Amino acid sequence: MNDTMNVIISKRLVVINSVSSLASKALNVTIIVWMYQYLLKRISPQEFAVLPVVMAVIVFAPLFFLFLTGGISRYVVEAYAKGDFDGITRIISSIFFPVAAMVCAFLVIGVAVSMNVDHILTIAPAMVSDAQIMMGLLVASFCVQMLGVPFTASFHVRQRFVELNLLGVARDLFRIAMLFVLLLEIGPQVIWVVVANVTADILYTIVVAARSRRMIPQMRIRLSAFDRATTRTLMGFGLWTTLGRLGSVMYTNAATLILNFSGSALDVTNFYVGATIFRQINNTASLVVQPLQPVLTAFHALEEKRRLARTVFRLGRYSTWASLAIATPLSIYSAPFIKLYVGEQYAAAAAVLSLFMVIFVFDKPTHLLAMTAMATEQVQAFFLPAFLFQAGGLVVMLLFATLTDLGALGMTIAVAMTAISSQIFYYWRLCIRLTGASASTFVKEVLIPGYLPAVAGALVWFTLIVASPPDTWATLALHVLVGEAFYVFVLLCLGFDRNEWTELRHVLARVKPA
């Protein structure tokens, strides 16, 4: 391969990237956990509900742009790997002008929506002005972020994920500081969450784009490099990722909007608490494996089918272990956790949280599937069905909202049904097909070893909660730690294969003092 890029990065670098990603995400989760608890105990559900509702609307914003930006990183990685630096400039120049035009259109629409948000959504009269300001700020922030997207691919190309994560930590520290000042000095208001987020995100986008351009100077705009064929190629690739993103948006955010119209502010809040915890775990897992996108692309380019399959299956197993280590106790202890976290007023959020955690059992074994589809240019096979499944899920949500009074629980049942059925009936099979492996290999290398630790931990946690339900944070933490000990024990004894044991011994040998 061209010496301009060592795409197939070392395992040590992957580990470093993963650790830094976890540190960055842990800080962000800490902010969210503290912020929600602080606000929910000091403001009404009606005021807090404005945040998830407004966020549920703005989350549709990427659909304006994803068909333009969805393929930038993938094609820049390929051009850099081939040493085609003029190609990089052509890619950036060919996509920036359409993105800028779309930003202008989005800004006009966003301003109109912000001014009339009370006519579009169900907002408490006292919160209309705050909702308008929050929506306007989010629209402005998103416009800035989209203009910066074409210039941020350098971190993926050059494998500078650690640096990117450190910039993310700096952004989160700034957000924490600003949020503390606003909430503690001015007062507990939900609008300060958006003000702090928008300010931090805009500064982060500017810094990341500037740094990215310095790493690869060819990522610049040159009018003469604009190429309509390149634009069409990027848009064709991005079209399917847009459909996939639309399905992802419907996954949880459409449920928030449905509850806004058919349920109560308490329903919206209960669903949002459970869905947010689910999204944070899911986003953390995705952030950790982010460095592997160019690796999978390189394996496909070099026709390394066996290494591709081995990587996808191994990371599917690892993602299952990591996610279920958190999701299993959260599902079992959801009721005491919610009670201790935000109080009995939000007790219905416990069932929502439990159902969301069950989803991880089915979707984490194929955690690298979307990346694999993009690396192998099989985006239609992944993202079109994603859209269709989620569109069907939206219909199920509407039926639950119309025919039942289950509120937040009904929306969560619809989400879980969609996620689980799509994995079992389609995505597990697609993963097997794209990797060229067999179903028995998938079961032996991913499902069985991936589930065994969770089964062991669940038995311990069920026994403990039945024998002595926890009523304090200390007792809850003790229960979780005891179960996690069994989880890790079974993982080490029955989860690791021979190669992983060899690698673990090598790692331990390196960290031993001389």
Side-chain angles (χ1 to χ4, degrees):
M1 177 177 288
N2 192 308
D3 61 3
T4 59
M5 181 183 185
N6 183 15
V7 170
I8 306 177
I9 55 180
S10 68
K11 294 177 181 178
R12 179 181 296 183
L13 184 55
V14 171
V15 171
I16 294 172
N17 288 331
S18 299
V19 171
S20 62
S21 298
L22 287 172
S24 174
K25 196 61 182 179
L27 182 59
N28 191 48
V29 170
T30 300
I31 301 170
I32 293 173
V33 169
W34 172 81
M35 175 189 68
Y36 285 0
Q37 185 180 47
Y38 183 86
L39 287 173
L40 286 169
K41 291 185 176 181
R42 289 168 175 80
I43 64 176
S44 67
Q46 289 73 25
E47 179 178 351
F48 185 86
V50 175
L51 177 64
V53 169
V54 170
M55 295 299 291
V57 173
I58 201 65
V59 82
F60 283 88
L63 302 179
F64 280 80
F65 304 94
L66 197 59
F67 73 99
L68 293 171
T69 61
I72 294 175
S73 180
R74 194 255 179 225
Y75 284 100
V76 170
V77 166
E78 185 176 66
Y80 193 84
K82 295 177 178 178
D84 183 10
F85 298 111
D86 289 337
I88 295 174
T89 303
R90 183 176 62 253
I91 290 169
I92 302 304
S93 302
S94 300
I95 207 62
F96 177 78
F97 296 107
V99 168
M102 193 62 73
V103 165
C104 293
F106 175 78
L107 184 60
V108 173
I109 296 172
V111 170
V113 171
S114 301
M115 296 296 293
N116 297 280
V117 67
D118 55 318
H119 300 298
I120 300 172
L121 302 171
T122 302
I123 304 290
M127 295 302 300
V128 171
S129 60
D130 280 1
Q132 291 173 333
I133 295 172
M134 291 163 68
M135 182 66 75
L137 288 172
L138 289 168
V139 167
S141 174
F142 198 82
C143 287
V144 173
Q145 292 179 57
M146 283 302 101
L147 288 173
V149 164
F151 306 100
T152 58
S154 296
F155 289 92
H156 295 263
V157 175
R158 299 286 298 276
Q159 301 296 319
R160 298 290 182 85
F161 294 103
V162 175
E163 182 179 349
L164 185 62
N165 292 331
L166 290 176
L167 290 173
V169 169
R171 174 197 58 197
D172 293 337
L173 288 173
F174 177 83
R175 178 163 41 217
I176 292 173
M178 191 171 184
L179 202 54
F180 265 94
V181 170
L182 293 172
L183 290 176
L184 301 180
E185 295 298 326
I186 301 179
Q189 299 178 51
V190 75
I191 191 173
W192 302 137
V193 177
V194 174
V195 171
N197 286 347
V198 165
T199 306
D201 288 341
I202 288 177
L203 291 174
Y204 173 78
T205 299
I206 294 172
V207 171
V208 167
R211 175 59 183 148
S212 180
R213 287 203 67 241
R214 289 190 65 184
M215 282 192 283
I216 303 180
Q218 290 80 12
M219 295 190 67
R220 63 182 183 268
I221 304 168
R222 198 171 66 203
L223 186 59
S224 61
F226 178 83
D227 180 63
R228 290 180 181 175
T230 300
T231 303
R232 286 195 297 269
T233 299
L234 290 167
M235 290 176 63
F237 187 92
L239 176 62
W240 301 113
T241 59
T242 301
L243 285 177
R245 181 59 180 266
L246 177 58
S248 178
V249 166
M250 291 191 295
Y251 200 48
T252 52
N253 293 283
T256 301
L257 296 177
I258 292 172
L259 288 172
N260 176 249
F261 293 115
S262 65
S264 65
L266 188 59
D267 282 324
V268 172
T269 302
N270 284 333
F271 182 84
Y272 190 68
V273 169
T276 298
I277 294 173
F278 169 79
R279 279 196 294 265
Q280 290 303 317
I281 297 174
N282 210 25
N283 291 343
T284 301
S286 298
L287 192 64
V288 169
V289 300
Q290 188 181 36
L292 292 171
Q293 179 65 75
V295 176
L296 299 179
T297 302
F299 284 157
H300 174 68
L302 298 173
E303 299 183 356
E304 293 276 4
K305 194 84 171 182
R306 184 175 298 178
R307 297 180 72 183
L308 179 80
R310 188 163 61 243
T311 302
V312 172
F313 283 4
R314 174 176 285 197
L315 267 295
R317 184 167 68 251
Y318 291 175
S319 294
T320 303
W321 285 339
S323 298
L324 294 188
I326 302 171
T328 308
L330 269 179
S331 180
I332 295 170
Y333 289 93
S334 60
F337 172 77
I338 291 296
K339 181 179 179 180
L340 291 169
Y341 180 46
V342 290
E344 294 184 353
Q345 181 182 8
Y346 302 98
V352 173
L353 178 60
S354 290
L355 277 174
F356 268 116
M357 295 302 102
V358 171
I359 294 174
F360 286 122
V361 175
F362 300 91
D363 74 355
K364 280 295 160 272
T366 58
H367 187 56
L368 291 188
L369 182 55
M371 285 186 175
T372 306
M374 294 178 71
T376 58
E377 298 185 278
Q378 296 292 316
V379 287
Q380 180 178 352
F382 179 86
F383 290 108
L384 178 58
F387 169 76
L388 295 175
F389 275 115
Q390 301 307 333
L394 178 60
V395 173
V396 177
M397 291 180 200
L398 292 171
L399 289 175
F400 269 97
T402 304
L403 303 178
T404 74
D405 296 320
L406 293 175
L409 180 60
M411 294 299 100
T412 313
I413 292 172
V415 171
M417 287 173 56
T418 303
I420 294 171
S421 61
S422 64
Q423 289 294 332
I424 293 175
F425 296 111
Y426 183 74
Y427 286 117
W428 284 5
R429 295 180 181 180
L430 180 63
C431 184
I432 293 167
R433 178 166 67 84
L434 292 186
T435 56
S438 64
S440 60
T441 301
F442 179 69
V443 171
K444 292 177 182 177
E445 294 188 5
V446 183
L447 297 185
I448 293 176
Y451 291 157
L452 280 176
V455 172
L459 291 174
V460 175
W461 284 314
F462 273 122
T463 302
L464 291 174
I465 196 172
V466 170
S468 177
D471 54 4
T472 65
W473 282 115
T475 307
L476 178 59
L478 181 61
H479 280 211
V480 172
L481 288 174
V482 171
E484 293 291 1
F486 279 86
Y487 189 103
V488 174
F489 176 77
V490 173
L491 188 158
L492 293 174
C493 292
L494 302 177
F496 276 17
D497 61 26
R498 184 178 303 175
N499 291 332
E500 287 163 335
W501 270 114
T502 301
E503 292 171 3
L504 180 60
R505 282 194 292 268
H506 288 164
V507 171
L508 294 175
R510 289 174 185 172
V511 299
K512 284 182 180 180

mmCIF file of all heavy atoms in Angstrom, residues 21 354 356:
data_model
loop_
_atom_site.group_PDB
_atom_site.id
_atom_site.type_symbol
_atom_site.label_atom_id
_atom_site.label_comp_id
_atom_site.label_asym_id
_atom_site.label_seq_id
_atom_site.Cartn_x
_atom_site.Cartn_y
_atom_site.Cartn_z
ATOM 1 N N SER A 21 -11.501 7.574 23.587
ATOM 2 C CA SER A 21 -12.918 7.745 23.248
ATOM 3 C C SER A 21 -13.791 7.545 24.476
ATOM 4 O O SER A 21 -14.734 8.302 24.720
ATOM 5 C CB SER A 21 -13.323 6.750 22.159
ATOM 6 O OG SER A 21 -12.608 6.967 20.975
ATOM 7 N N SER A 354 -35.749 -0.549 30.887
ATOM 8 C CA SER A 354 -35.525 -1.994 30.778
ATOM 9 C C SER A 354 -35.678 -2.477 29.340
ATOM 10 O O SER A 354 -34.855 -3.253 28.835
ATOM 11 C CB SER A 354 -36.504 -2.748 31.681
ATOM 12 O OG SER A 354 -36.193 -2.560 33.033
ATOM 13 N N PHE A 356 -35.403 -0.742 26.555
ATOM 14 C CA PHE A 356 -34.311 -0.230 25.722
ATOM 15 C C PHE A 356 -33.044 -1.064 25.914
ATOM 16 O O PHE A 356 -32.300 -1.318 24.969
ATOM 17 C CB PHE A 356 -34.028 1.237 26.051
ATOM 18 C CG PHE A 356 -34.795 2.202 25.198
ATOM 19 C CD1 PHE A 356 -35.733 3.058 25.770
ATOM 20 C CD2 PHE A 356 -34.598 2.270 23.835
ATOM 21 C CE1 PHE A 356 -36.452 3.953 24.994
ATOM 22 C CE2 PHE A 356 -35.307 3.154 23.041
ATOM 23 C CZ PHE A 356 -36.246 4.007 23.625
#
